Amino acid sequence: QVQLVESGGGLVQAGGSLRLSCKASGTAFSINTMGWYRQAPGKQRELVATITTSGSTNYGDSVKGRFTISRDNAKNTVYLQMDSLKPEDTAVYYCNAPSVPTNWRTYELDVWGQGTQVTVSS
């Protein structure tokens, strides 16, 4: 079974930085797209950023210019560098992989991590 395990959340003051990590386990195959989403209390889950194995990235409008997504393809690990954090960035951040190959013919779809809390104080 594929698992995504996040780490790196915590409490930081506004203007500060945090780096999140997400490592996939349970597959020996490369995962094409990995990404981050977040959900604040009372709000819908929203896109933060995604990245493909070729390095193509996509960012949510609210984080463009402040957050940077990167990955280590060999380790199936994705990172999120968050700079210039704002109180409105406070949320649970979830790692996601929409399609994970588990063998030559089988994929596990829409895999989510357990989430990591990021709290930005003003």
Side-chain angles (χ1 to χ4, degrees):
Q1 185 178 3
V2 176
Q3 288 188 316
L4 302 177
V5 179
E6 302 108 331
S7 60
L11 173 64
V12 64
Q13 288 189 332
S17 298
L18 279 175
R19 189 183 192 225
L20 306 183
S21 299
C22 169
K23 182 172 177 57
S25 64
T27 181
F29 293 80
S30 179
I31 303 172
N32 183 46
T33 300
M34 298 182 73
W36 294 94
Y37 292 75
R38 67 185 183 186
Q39 187 166 21
K43 294 188 177 182
Q44 289 189 330
R45 192 170 295 189
E46 65 173 357
L47 168 71
V48 176
T50 62
I51 186 168
T52 66
T53 50
S54 64
S56 177
T57 58
N58 182 40
Y59 291 92
D61 289 341
S62 61
V63 306
K64 285 180 181 176
R66 299 187 298 122
F67 291 10
T68 303
I69 190 170
S70 62
R71 66 184 291 168
D72 184 333
N73 291 332
K75 297 180 180 179
N76 271 339
T77 299
V78 63
Y79 306 97
L80 185 68
Q81 178 66 40
M82 305 184 293
D83 298 318
S84 302
L85 282 160
K86 305 175 182 180
E88 50 264 45
D89 294 317
T90 296
V92 178
Y93 284 69
Y94 296 93
C95 183
N96 172 258
S99 179
V100 180
T102 53
N103 60 44
W104 293 108
R105 299 179 181 180
T106 305
Y107 291 80
E108 192 164 331
L109 301 178
D110 204 24
V111 181
W112 292 90
Q114 81 287 353
T116 185
Q117 177 71 46
V118 171
T119 303
V120 184
S121 63
S122 57

